[in-house]
Amino acid sequence: MLYELQARAEMETWKLRMRKAPSMVQRLSRTLQARVNRIIPEKVHRAITATIREMVRGVLFGSKYTVPGKQEYASFAEMEAAVRKRIGYYKHTAAAEGGVTGAGGILLGLADFPILLSMKLKLLFDIATMYGFDVKDYRERLYILLIFQLAFSSQDHRRKVFSQMEDWARRAETLPEKEESFDWRAFQQEYRDYLDIAKMAQLMPVIGAAVGVVVNYRLVTKLGETAINAYRMRLLR
């Protein structure tokens, strides 16, 4: 009971951060990134969108990933301890992968994008299952995508995504039956914009390996904490 009270307090603090309006610096950064996006040729946008769409669609509507078997936990605290252990495994795996690709120069550095994306989505599948949700359900897979966006978006977009998640049980009942309704363009652009500066540094000679280790570790850490609180919202009522 004490652990759940602490978890609920952490969740409420996190929810305030999700609802917070973007700062002036965040707004200026967003404006600059929007200008950069307008410079990039439309065919490049389409190519990136198509790549991410197919990768994510394969995860959501295919059988690419396996998930842990259903487990019983003695308490909420024990369940979250298991979740954090799983996140720790992925953090170290992602860091090692980032170091290898970062040391390999531009070509291997570019290869890190789809590898890391795939790894993070697999982590979310594992976390959802460990919290007791059935990822075979199309709606649960959409929730996974919302968690992903919540972790890797501008603050302005994050607030919009969070508003969709706060009353998920009611919203899930109104969801369309087909994935075509999902905004792939917004998903890929927010994700890419969030990663741009850090991941570009990973392509630089000499420092690329060190940057890859740190960036990937922090990205998976952020995703894990976001997922924990997103599922707490549905369990701690």
Side-chain angles (χ1 to χ4, degrees):
M1 181 62 71
L2 180 61
Y3 180 87
E4 290 186 24
L5 290 174
Q6 179 182 342
R8 185 174 282 105
E10 292 174 357
M11 177 188 69
E12 292 300 331
T13 300
W14 172 80
K15 287 165 68 174
L16 289 176
R17 292 202 308 271
M18 296 302 101
R19 298 190 188 106
K20 187 177 179 180
S23 66
M24 182 62 69
V25 172
Q26 288 172 326
R27 289 186 182 279
L28 290 174
S29 176
R30 184 65 177 166
T31 300
L32 177 60
Q33 188 62 59
R35 291 178 179 175
V36 172
N37 283 331
R38 285 196 293 269
I39 296 173
I40 298 174
E42 179 61 25
K43 64 180 181 180
V44 175
H45 281 296
R46 287 198 299 267
I48 295 174
T49 299
T51 300
I52 294 181
R53 180 183 64 237
E54 293 309 311
M55 179 175 292
V56 176
R57 182 178 289 172
V59 172
L60 293 180
F61 307 103
S63 56
K64 181 177 179 180
Y65 290 147
T66 58
V67 295
K70 186 175 181 180
Q71 301 179 47
E72 298 294 333
Y73 300 99
S75 65
F76 188 78
E78 182 181 307
M79 179 174 64
E80 290 213 330
V83 169
R84 291 188 183 280
K85 183 177 180 180
R86 183 63 57 94
I87 293 170
Y89 167 78
Y90 277 90
K91 285 195 293 187
H92 289 95
T93 302
E97 183 272 328
V100 171
T101 55
I106 293 178
L107 291 179
L108 278 180
L110 289 173
D112 179 63
F113 283 87
I115 294 172
L116 184 61
L117 175 61
S118 180
M119 192 180 300
K120 288 187 290 193
L121 287 168
K122 174 63 170 68
L123 170 60
L124 290 180
F125 266 64
D126 288 1
I127 292 175
T129 302
M130 295 174 79
Y131 271 107
F133 295 97
D134 183 6
V135 294
K136 294 180 181 178
D137 188 327
Y138 160 76
R139 293 167 295 183
E140 291 302 332
R141 296 185 178 207
L142 278 183
Y143 194 75
I144 283 175
L145 277 187
L146 292 177
I147 294 174
F148 195 96
Q149 290 184 88
L150 201 63
F152 305 121
S153 295
S154 64
Q155 184 61 25
D156 192 48
H157 187 69
R158 184 175 292 129
R159 294 171 73 199
K160 296 175 183 176
V161 172
F162 185 70
S163 68
Q164 299 177 46
M165 301 171 68
E166 286 195 273
D167 190 12
W168 181 251
R170 181 186 61 80
R171 179 174 175 75
E173 296 177 355
T174 66
L175 288 173
E177 296 182 359
K178 297 184 179 180
E179 72 273 16
E180 280 75 11
S181 62
F182 191 79
D183 191 347
W184 303 106
R185 174 68 173 264
F187 178 86
Q188 66 86 15
Q189 190 160 302
E190 288 287 340
Y191 175 63
R192 190 188 60 196
D193 291 353
Y194 185 90
L195 301 183
D196 267 351
I197 296 177
K199 299 303 280 185
M200 288 306 104
Q202 187 177 337
L203 304 182
M204 297 174 64
V206 183
I207 69 169
V211 171
V213 171
V214 174
V215 169
N216 283 10
Y217 187 90
R218 288 181 176 177
L219 290 173
V220 175
T221 298
K222 182 177 181 63
L223 181 63
E225 290 301 316
T226 301
I228 285 174
N229 284 293
Y231 285 113
R232 282 174 172 174
M233 280 202 304
R234 298 172 64 185
L235 296 175
L236 299 178
R237 296 281 182 181

